[in-house]
Amino acid sequence: MSRAGPGELSPAVESDSPEERIAARRLRIAARTEARTRLELGEEAQEQEENTEEPRTSQKQVDQSEKRMIKLQTDGTELVTNILVAADARETKRRAQLAEARTLRNEKLENEAKSSLEKFEEVTQNWPVAKAKEIPQDLRDALKSQQQLCMLITEDKNKLINELQHELKSSDDRYVKELKKQAEDVDLMREKMQEQMTSLMKLYRQELDLIENSFDDERKTLLTSNLKKWEQQRKERSDRELEHLLQRIKQKEENEVLLHRLRVANIKEYNMMKLNLETQSEILQQNIQKTKATNQLNQEKLEYSRHVITHRKMETIHIESLQRKRILRLQDSLKNLKVKCASQEKQAQEENQSLTDGYKRSMLEYKDMQKHLRHFAAVDAERFEEIWLMNENEAKALVHKVLETDRVIYEQFLGLAWAPPHVPFMENSGPIQPQHQAKRTAQQFAMQALGEVEEKREMEGESSTAEVAGLDRRTVKKLLELLCDETGFLIESKLLKLLSPLEKDPQSFIKLHLIFSALGIENEEDVYKMAEFFEKYKQQQKDQPEEGISVSNENELVREMDSELVHPNHVVKALHAFTAQYCRPRDLQSQKQSSVLSLEERDDSEDAAYWESMANVIPESKLKVWNALEDALSKYHTVLTERSKILIDTHHLKQQNAELTALLHQYLSQKGNTELKIPPTLVMQLTSE
Amino acid sequence: MPVISMSMGKAPAGINPPVKMLNPAADPRKMRRIIAEDPEWSLAVVPSLKNLCLQHIVNHFEEKPILNELLPSQKAFVLEKLPTFLPLSLTANLISDEGYWRRCCEDRWGQRDVSEYDLSWKRMFFERHLENIIELFIPDQTEPKSVLDVVPLCQNYVRRLKITQLLPPIRKPPKFNEDDASESASDLGDDGPSIDHFDFRILLNKLTNLEELQLVYGVRGCGMNFEWNLFEFTFSDCQFLAKALQSCTTLKILKINQSNVDDDKCRTLVSNLLDHPSLLELDLSHNIIGDRGARALGKLLNRSHLKQLDIYDNKIKGPGAQALAHALSKNTPLESLNLRLNQIGDEGGQALAQALLKNCILLNLHLGANELTEPTATALSHMLVHNSTLKRLNLSCNRLGEDGGKAMEEGMSHNSSLLECDIRLTGVRLESEYSIKKHLHTNQAKGRQDTAASR
């Protein structure tokens, strides 16, 4: 009951059936939230709480009757089963009795058997005694006694049999009695059951009536209470409605007054507005007329402009027709031109054909020319060599001479010890090999690349080729290491064994050396080429469809690529491609060029230097010495020449003197003189004085 | 039937005139529903052609059964009129209408309660039909074919066979008569295998829906012709039955009552019922099963799904009860055990009480009239303190005595699950009986509350 209490709060509890109460109990939580809203309404909630007590009576009634019925039923079943239990008890008792009787009987039988056996033995013992007796009377007596004994035994047995038969009969009787008793019991049980049934039915009906009555009462009370509530609420509602009505009437009156007031005010306002608007309309009409006048003016202007436009239109139509005609004409000309173009195209094709033929012919000629050229080049080379040799010899002679003079000068003029200067070209004969000194070998380069990166500056200063290729030295180094690791198959196994004890750097260097020799890579440039090729190869693998792009374009692309080198798995492939692409053509070229076209390739700057070196056998200092010497010698020469001249003069003068003396002598010696007042000799003396 | 013949007789008279007269509307009599001047005239008397056709179908149903092709209303008409003596081979699988089978049942056996048969008259008819055939089957004389012919017809509908008697072979009666004449009891030993009853092997494996089988190997209502042989349940009978039961995999309930089942027969039955897939209930009451049989039943408990075992009125003593208790202590699915009217004594009672300390499945235990005394009562009271599954306990007709009653009272005071405890005729004092009842009442009230709450 107490559980059902809170269930009442839920909305489901309108009826009194327990199922719904249970449902209501389950919904208790939901009901509580709802109860909150109900509490706001106040009165209703209170009323419902009052209602809660009424269904309880019916529930009580139901519970009570249920309990009563259960009790009655159990009592009834107990009454009925009492018979069964009694029968069971009797049965067990009977069985116990039977068992007891059986044991007694068995004992009795055994006793009897024993006693009869004893008697029988007595009889059998008596037989030999009887046999021993010879006197017939004695024998008869014995026989009689035996007979008596036998009679006793049989009597005993018969007694026993009778007893047993008695027992059998009595048990038969008992069985019949039992059967009867059981039949009675069954009848009794049936009767009792019937009674029970009827009484139970009656009671059930009574209880049902009671429950129904309680439910009816409850319903009635509920109905009355609900009716009351209903009436009350209806009254409330009608009161409220009346109130509302009155309020509305009041409000309506108020509103009417307000309306009237508003209407009056509005009429006034309206009149004012009207006046205003009329004046405004007059003004506007005036404005309209003005605008009309302007309108007319405009119309006329427009008329005029229309005229002008129509005129123009005519003109444009005319021009249009003209243009059309022109278009037609131009189209005709276009057709003609197209025809011409076609014919010209044909012509051009023919020309092209002829030109290609010519080109082929010229190509053949060019090849011939090349042959000739090669021939001439060979000839020229030979001639060049000859001339070179000749010139060289000449130069060498000159140099020799100069040196000799130098020596002479040093030794004879200056009196110094002469040391011959270093003149390597003197041993040289024939045209010099320009690559000889400028390019390092590939091995050296590899050594360097593997060895250090610090010498970068020097390298940058030295090797322009590296900068041209735009390759990082590190990538090259990586590449070389890669090669070292991947292309071990190019090295002989014996060598590998020999190399194994070496350190890493020298070992890899030697390996690289062998690999380069196997690949035919000779110098630094080739190494760079290889690096470049690897870059390209990577590029190609990345964009296979673009294989057709020319190598020069790819070169530029390669420069932009970064240091990621070829995958180790692709190294051998790349190497193969590299050797196929570079080494083979170079071999072919080298075969031809080394013999024939080597001179074409040689740079003349070296030659100039060579010759220069030859020319500069005498260094500047020496030249200065020489110049100073020359100056001095020339001065000396002039002095000498003057002296020689003077010598000659003196000689002449001597000659003159001699001649003069001769003349004088002659003169003096001449006879005239002595006739002279003052002889020459005297003058001579005087001058001398 | 006379009604039909009358209508048949009148039909041509009603039909013929319109055939002759081409315009039926011209005859004013035909257009009128009521003809006042003819006191015997009624339109209802004239059966419609439809009804005549249906009547014809009914009359010739045996030659040409037309039923499923008819409209529902026509079908109902035909089914209502069909005679109940039609051969079963025709009707068994064709007619499923309950009304028809109800008429069949009522014609044959009078008013009957159909609620026992799931409110299915057809099932009732076939079950009772088959029961009758088996109950009147006389071995060696009746042809087994007579049973087998019925099987295909009724195998879909038979769920339960309640056979209240099985007749022995007919060869006996002349002998019996001779013996009767000689008035001696010498016929106890001389009939060997010829005494066997109906062989169930031919039947059970064909009844695919059989769920319950009740058997009594005995003759009902023999009256003054009583003869021990009439109630003989031979060993070969038992073997045949066991084999048959093994083949019947749908069987749920098996009852063999008042059939002199002794230890050996019980063992053969059990050995064939081991691991039976569906058997739930076994009733071997009113037999002479002893301890060995009880041991076999204990084994069966552990190797089957049995929920109810009734072996009341047998000869089970202490050791047998101990074997059963051992089986129970392994928590078999058994829910109800009835050992009424045995002689398990204190030995068995204590063993059972100890087994129930471990068991938490058994709900009902009947130990009425079992020669139990005070020691068992103390053991049971100890059990009641710990066991919380047992609902019903019957100890009536045992000499528990006052001390036993006190022990029970104390045990009950700690128990809250037992709903019924029968201690009538046990020599318990009124006070303890009253207090035990009080406890039971509180337990019942609680149980009722729980069921209400769970609802």
Side-chain angles (χ1 to χ4, degrees):
Chain A
M1 283 297 154
S2 58
R3 282 192 197 175
E8 294 303 314
L9 281 172
S10 78
V13 180
E14 294 278 45
S15 70
D16 315 301
S17 61
E19 284 92 349
E20 262 185 88
R21 285 158 171 284
I22 290 153
R25 212 179 296 143
R26 281 178 192 157
L27 288 167
R28 191 161 46 185
I29 297 162
R32 271 180 193 159
T33 54
E34 270 181 50
R36 240 178 260 159
T37 56
R38 297 228 160 187
L39 277 172
E40 289 169 19
L41 298 171
E43 285 175 302
E44 278 178 284
Q46 277 180 357
E47 275 173 11
Q48 283 220 334
E49 270 171 39
E50 281 165 28
N51 283 346
T52 54
E53 282 171 26
E54 283 176 86
R56 277 183 190 175
T57 55
S58 64
Q59 182 65 29
K60 247 178 209 168
Q61 183 62 48
V62 170
D63 278 359
Q64 268 180 0
S65 33
E66 199 185 340
K67 262 184 204 167
R68 209 178 298 152
M69 289 321 294
I70 285 167
K71 208 187 166 208
L72 276 170
Q73 238 170 339
T74 47
D75 287 355
T77 46
E78 208 172 295
L79 260 177
V80 174
T81 48
N82 266 342
I83 297 165
L84 186 110
V85 171
D88 274 1
R90 233 180 298 131
E91 176 68 18
T92 45
K93 214 179 271 174
R94 190 183 65 84
R95 280 188 190 176
Q97 278 176 356
L98 273 182
E100 226 171 283
R102 200 181 297 136
T103 48
L104 271 175
R105 209 182 301 134
N106 281 348
E107 262 177 48
K108 211 190 268 174
L109 278 174
E110 271 174 32
N111 284 342
E112 209 281 330
K114 262 184 199 167
S115 62
S116 61
L117 197 78
E118 276 171 23
K119 278 170 186 169
F120 180 69
E121 274 173 12
E122 209 178 309
V123 172
T124 45
Q125 275 172 359
N126 281 348
W127 280 119
V129 179
K131 269 187 185 169
K133 283 178 180 167
E134 285 174 4
I135 305 161
Q137 269 180 334
D138 284 354
L139 195 71
R140 199 183 55 137
D141 287 346
L143 272 174
K144 254 185 190 168
S145 65
Q146 286 290 61
Q147 217 165 4
Q148 264 177 344
L149 279 171
C150 284
M151 281 288 280
L152 270 174
I153 293 168
T154 47
E155 246 174 61
D156 277 357
K157 293 272 182 197
N158 276 338
K159 217 191 262 172
L160 197 75
I161 286 163
N162 276 338
E163 266 176 41
L164 285 175
Q165 269 175 349
H166 252 290
E167 261 179 52
L168 196 70
K169 225 173 229 178
S170 66
S171 66
D172 267 353
D173 286 348
R174 225 184 294 145
Y175 175 69
V176 173
K177 263 186 207 164
E178 198 78 17
L179 269 181
K180 268 181 193 167
K181 173 78 183 154
Q182 276 180 359
E184 272 172 29
D185 274 355
V186 168
D187 285 345
L188 192 71
M189 200 136 76
R190 205 181 289 158
E191 249 173 60
K192 272 189 180 174
M193 275 159 94
Q194 213 101 39
E195 266 174 42
Q196 211 67 35
M197 281 287 285
T198 48
S199 66
L200 272 175
M201 287 265 272
K202 226 184 260 173
L203 279 166
Y204 265 121
R205 217 158 275 154
Q206 275 178 8
E207 294 296 325
L208 198 71
D209 286 346
L210 275 174
I211 291 167
E212 265 182 8
N213 281 341
S214 72
F215 275 130
D216 269 350
D217 289 349
E218 226 177 74
R219 211 179 114 239
K220 269 175 198 165
T221 51
L222 255 175
L223 263 174
T224 49
S225 71
N226 282 354
L227 263 176
K228 259 187 209 166
K229 223 197 287 171
W230 169 248
E231 283 289 324
Q232 206 184 332
Q233 284 178 347
R234 216 182 55 180
K235 219 180 251 175
E236 267 179 37
R237 208 194 151 212
S238 62
D239 288 353
R240 231 179 287 156
E241 254 175 36
L242 254 176
E243 244 174 69
H244 280 302
L245 206 75
L246 285 173
Q247 272 185 353
R248 272 193 70 174
I249 288 163
K250 241 187 228 171
Q251 213 167 8
K252 202 190 161 194
E253 279 169 6
E254 276 173 29
N255 285 348
E256 268 176 4
V257 171
L258 216 137
L259 257 175
H260 187 70
R261 221 183 291 151
L262 279 172
R263 210 177 285 159
V264 171
N266 278 352
I267 285 166
K268 275 180 194 171
E269 230 174 88
Y270 170 74
N271 284 338
M272 287 287 288
M273 284 279 279
K274 205 183 173 187
L275 274 173
N276 264 338
L277 287 172
E278 270 170 4
T279 50
Q280 272 180 3
S281 69
E282 273 172 26
I283 292 161
L284 284 172
Q285 268 177 348
Q286 278 175 1
N287 280 350
I288 284 167
Q289 273 175 352
K290 268 184 203 168
T291 46
K292 265 185 187 170
T294 51
N295 228 13
Q296 230 159 4
L297 257 172
N298 281 343
Q299 223 171 359
E300 274 168 25
K301 274 182 196 167
L302 283 172
E303 198 87 354
Y304 174 71
S305 55
R306 196 173 65 90
H307 272 295
V308 172
I309 285 165
T310 46
H311 192 68
R312 289 246 176 98
K313 208 181 181 185
M314 291 293 280
E315 271 177 20
T316 49
I317 286 164
H318 184 64
I319 289 163
E320 216 175 298
S321 63
L322 278 179
Q323 291 283 1
R324 252 178 225 154
K325 274 177 197 169
R326 222 171 125 191
I327 284 166
L328 282 172
R329 228 184 299 139
L330 283 171
Q331 273 176 345
D332 285 347
S333 62
L334 183 73
K335 271 180 193 166
N336 286 339
L337 283 171
K338 267 182 187 169
V339 170
K340 259 186 209 172
C341 184
S343 64
Q344 279 198 341
E345 249 174 58
K346 261 186 194 171
Q347 272 186 353
Q349 269 181 348
E350 279 165 21
E351 255 175 66
N352 193 21
Q353 192 65 34
S354 63
L355 282 174
T356 45
D357 290 344
Y359 169 73
K360 275 174 192 168
R361 223 179 302 129
S362 58
M363 275 301 285
L364 283 173
E365 272 172 29
Y366 170 70
K367 273 174 188 169
D368 272 355
M369 283 287 283
Q370 263 187 336
K371 255 184 213 171
H372 284 298
L373 193 76
R374 252 174 244 148
H375 174 70
F376 286 127
V379 173
D380 281 350
E382 268 170 43
R383 203 178 289 161
F384 172 76
E385 209 165 337
E386 278 166 19
I387 290 165
W388 179 285
L389 281 174
M390 192 180 74
N391 284 343
E392 208 179 30
N393 287 338
E394 222 168 292
K396 271 179 190 170
L398 284 172
V399 167
H400 209 72
K401 209 176 175 183
V402 167
L403 288 174
E404 202 59 30
T405 47
D406 191 31
R407 194 180 58 87
V408 168
I409 288 163
Y410 264 65
E411 281 177 356
Q412 295 190 351
F413 286 86
L414 299 173
L416 293 168
W418 184 77
H422 181 64
V423 268
F425 46 82
M426 288 306 277
E427 285 106 60
N428 189 32
S429 70
I432 51 159
Q433 230 62 35
Q435 302 98 323
H436 189 64
Q437 276 179 338
K439 292 186 182 180
R440 287 171 300 162
T441 54
Q443 286 96 315
Q444 278 171 338
F445 172 73
M447 178 83 153
Q448 212 158 21
L450 284 171
E452 65 268 308
V453 195
E454 313 114 51
E455 288 183 37
K456 221 179 185 180
R457 277 182 221 154
E458 284 178 65
M459 285 285 127
E460 274 170 346
E462 280 176 12
S463 59
S464 57
T465 44
E467 276 178 314
V468 167
L471 290 166
D472 197 358
R473 290 195 66 83
R474 283 186 195 178
T475 58
V476 174
K477 190 184 172 184
K478 264 186 208 167
L479 174 73
L480 290 178
E481 279 167 357
L482 244 178
L483 269 179
C484 209
D485 295 337
E486 291 295 324
T487 55
F489 62 87
L490 290 172
I491 306 161
E492 283 178 53
S493 53
K494 279 182 189 173
L495 256 177
L496 276 174
K497 267 181 202 168
L498 286 171
L499 286 172
S500 57
L502 280 173
E503 274 180 46
K504 198 200 165 187
D505 270 2
Q507 189 183 340
S508 58
F509 169 66
I510 291 165
K511 272 188 193 172
L512 270 179
H513 176 70
L514 288 164
I515 290 160
F516 283 161
S517 64
L519 288 175
I521 290 167
E522 288 164 356
N523 49 36
E524 193 183 345
E525 215 171 317
D526 284 348
V527 174
Y528 280 115
K529 242 187 232 170
M530 188 168 68
E532 228 173 293
F533 180 80
F534 270 75
E535 294 273 316
K536 249 184 268 169
Y537 187 78
K538 190 172 68 184
Q539 188 88 347
Q540 274 177 347
Q541 278 196 333
K542 271 184 184 177
D543 37 35
Q544 283 287 351
E546 292 173 13
E547 271 182 322
I549 299 170
S550 64
V551 176
S552 61
N553 282 345
E554 278 178 9
N555 256 334
E556 288 163 16
L557 288 170
V558 165
R559 285 185 193 185
E560 287 162 14
M561 285 298 297
D562 244 321
S563 60
E564 265 188 58
L565 269 166
V566 192
H567 194 268
N569 293 347
H570 300 310
V571 166
V572 181
K573 275 189 204 169
L575 263 180
H576 187 74
F578 172 71
T579 48
Q581 199 167 325
Y582 281 95
C583 297
R584 215 173 292 160
R586 204 186 53 182
D587 287 348
L588 288 169
Q589 275 177 7
S590 62
Q591 278 175 5
K592 286 177 190 172
Q593 285 176 357
S594 63
S595 61
V596 183
L597 294 175
S598 59
L599 278 174
E600 283 179 11
E601 269 196 356
R602 31 173 304 143
D603 41 353
D604 302 333
S605 61
E606 301 283 323
D607 295 352
Y610 178 70
W611 295 116
E612 195 75 18
S613 72
M614 230 174 234
N616 292 343
V617 158
I618 307 299
E620 203 102 338
S621 55
K622 252 180 200 175
L623 269 181
K624 268 181 192 170
V625 171
W626 281 24
N627 280 340
L629 201 66
E630 200 183 353
D631 282 353
L633 281 176
S634 59
K635 272 178 199 169
Y636 184 57
H637 187 250
T638 45
V639 172
L640 281 177
T641 45
E642 270 173 39
R643 269 178 76 178
S644 65
K645 263 178 205 171
I646 295 164
L647 273 173
I648 294 163
D649 284 348
T650 52
H651 196 253
H652 277 296
L653 286 171
K654 269 176 190 173
Q655 247 179 324
Q656 272 177 326
N657 223 5
E659 278 172 17
L660 283 168
T661 48
L663 273 166
L664 204 50
H665 272 301
Q666 204 177 6
Y667 182 68
L668 281 163
S669 49
Q670 247 169 7
K671 279 167 189 163
N673 280 353
T674 30
E675 293 159 3
L676 290 168
K677 279 179 180 154
I678 332 165
T681 46
L682 226 98
V683 175
M684 280 203 30
Q685 278 166 347
L686 280 169
T687 60
S688 66
E689 281 175 344
Chain B
M1 290 308 275
V3 175
I4 294 166
S5 65
M6 248 179 59
S7 66
M8 290 292 275
K10 273 203 172 184
I15 291 164
N16 285 340
V19 177
K20 283 175 185 170
M21 297 172 74
L22 287 171
N23 190 1
D27 184 8
R29 269 180 82 104
K30 283 272 98 178
M31 297 306 291
R32 287 157 69 187
R33 292 257 141 195
I34 301 162
I35 299 166
E37 54 273 26
D38 188 348
E40 293 200 346
W41 170 258
S42 165
L43 199 64
V45 174
V46 182
S48 65
L49 181 60
K50 190 175 82 180
N51 283 9
L52 289 172
C53 292
L54 292 174
Q55 190 59 51
H56 192 74
I57 288 174
V58 169
N59 289 342
H60 298 91
F61 199 80
E62 207 167 326
E63 298 105 73
K64 194 158 195 179
I66 303 169
L67 186 67
N68 290 327
E69 294 86 347
L70 299 176
L71 295 172
S73 60
Q74 296 163 351
K75 214 167 163 181
F77 180 90
V78 170
L79 286 169
E80 209 176 309
K81 291 274 168 65
L82 274 181
T84 55
F85 50 77
L86 286 173
L88 280 177
S89 56
L90 177 67
T91 54
N93 291 317
L94 182 65
I95 299 172
S96 58
D97 181 64
E98 284 294 303
Y100 173 78
W101 293 112
R102 179 178 186 164
R103 280 195 295 129
C104 288
C105 289
E106 280 171 0
D107 283 0
R108 199 157 160 189
W109 298 291
Q111 213 74 32
R112 284 285 168 175
D113 184 12
V114 78
S115 61
E116 280 181 52
Y117 301 91
D118 291 341
L119 299 174
S120 165
W121 289 98
K122 192 174 185 180
R123 183 184 152 197
M124 176 171 168
F125 180 84
F126 278 109
E127 283 182 8
R128 288 184 63 89
H129 183 65
L130 190 59
E131 279 164 17
N132 272 5
I133 287 174
I134 293 169
E135 281 173 7
L136 297 176
F137 183 89
I138 302 167
D140 302 336
Q141 183 146 9
T142 322
E143 294 240 343
K145 201 164 167 280
S146 64
V147 180
L148 292 177
D149 283 346
V150 187
V151 167
L153 303 178
C154 58
Q155 63 179 356
N156 289 329
Y157 314 106
V158 173
R159 297 233 179 117
R160 175 171 56 193
L161 275 182
K162 210 177 194 174
I163 290 153
T164 50
Q165 74 166 3
L166 283 166
L167 295 176
I170 200 76
R171 216 187 70 195
K172 292 281 294 130
K175 247 189 191 176
F176 164 70
N177 285 335
E178 283 167 30
D179 292 342
D180 214 24
S182 63
E183 288 237 49
S184 77
S186 64
D187 53 341
L188 282 170
D190 62 338
D191 357 75
S194 61
I195 204 169
D196 297 341
H197 294 83
F198 175 69
D199 184 359
F200 276 98
R201 283 183 300 178
I202 62 168
L203 179 65
L204 286 191
N205 55 5
K206 293 193 180 80
L207 295 175
T208 50
N209 287 330
L210 191 70
E211 286 178 0
E212 186 174 342
L213 181 63
Q214 298 185 17
L215 294 174
V216 174
Y217 279 83
V219 182
R220 189 177 41 173
C222 57
M224 290 311 282
N225 294 332
F226 172 79
E227 184 61 45
W228 283 110
N229 288 345
L230 294 180
F231 297 90
E232 191 79 10
F233 178 36
T234 65
F235 195 70
S236 50
D237 269 344
C238 178
Q239 276 179 330
F240 294 158
L241 179 63
K243 286 270 158 56
L245 289 174
Q246 203 176 17
S247 69
C248 183
T249 52
T250 51
L251 195 69
K252 282 182 182 164
I253 300 169
L254 173 64
K255 294 186 179 179
I256 305 173
N257 299 338
Q258 303 169 28
S259 303
N260 285 329
V261 178
D262 58 14
D263 280 342
D264 291 331
K265 286 168 196 160
C266 179
R267 278 153 67 93
T268 51
L269 278 177
V270 165
S271 67
N272 281 299
L273 283 176
L274 285 178
D275 297 323
H276 194 276
S278 59
L279 194 69
L280 295 177
E281 218 177 300
L282 181 62
D283 188 346
L284 292 172
S285 47
H286 302 299
N287 284 309
I288 47 171
I289 298 169
D291 289 337
R292 280 167 60 228
R295 213 172 295 144
L297 284 170
K299 195 180 172 192
L300 178 65
L301 285 185
N302 281 331
R303 285 184 56 183
S304 69
H305 313 295
L306 270 189
K307 287 198 168 169
Q308 191 175 338
L309 178 62
D310 291 335
I311 36 175
Y312 56 88
D313 196 12
N314 276 300
K315 288 182 176 170
I316 298 169
K317 290 182 181 156
Q322 275 171 340
L324 285 172
H326 180 69
L328 276 181
S329 67
K330 288 180 182 168
N331 268 334
T332 55
L334 194 70
E335 286 177 357
S336 176
L337 176 63
N338 195 334
L339 285 169
R340 189 166 70 95
L341 276 172
N342 281 299
Q343 295 136 29
I344 64 171
D346 281 331
E347 198 184 344
Q350 277 170 320
L352 279 170
Q354 270 161 10
L356 282 183
L357 281 175
K358 293 179 196 165
N359 186 298
C360 52
I361 291 163
L362 197 71
L363 298 176
N364 301 330
L365 180 62
H366 199 313
L367 294 175
N370 256 317
E371 297 173 9
L372 304 177
T373 55
E374 197 198 318
T376 310
T378 50
L380 281 172
S381 77
H382 183 64
M383 178 273 286
L384 282 177
V385 175
H386 296 286
N387 188 306
S388 61
T389 46
L390 198 66
K391 292 261 160 34
R392 281 170 206 86
L393 179 63
N394 197 327
L395 295 171
S396 56
C397 306
N398 288 306
R399 270 167 292 154
L400 298 182
E402 288 181 7
D403 293 336
K406 267 182 196 166
M408 285 299 291
E409 184 187 339
E410 202 181 318
M412 267 313 293
S413 65
H414 294 291
N415 186 290
S416 59
S417 61
L418 203 65
L419 300 179
E420 280 172 31
C421 181
D422 197 339
I423 44 166
R424 281 174 287 180
L425 291 178
T426 49
V428 174
R429 266 202 297 179
L430 276 177
E431 298 156 25
S432 30
E433 198 175 331
Y434 177 72
S435 73
I436 286 172
K437 274 201 175 157
K438 218 171 144 189
H439 265 294
L440 288 174
H441 276 302
T442 55
N443 285 354
Q444 280 164 9
K446 208 198 288 170
R448 241 179 290 143
Q449 262 187 10
D450 288 348
T451 51
S454 68
R455 228 188 296 149

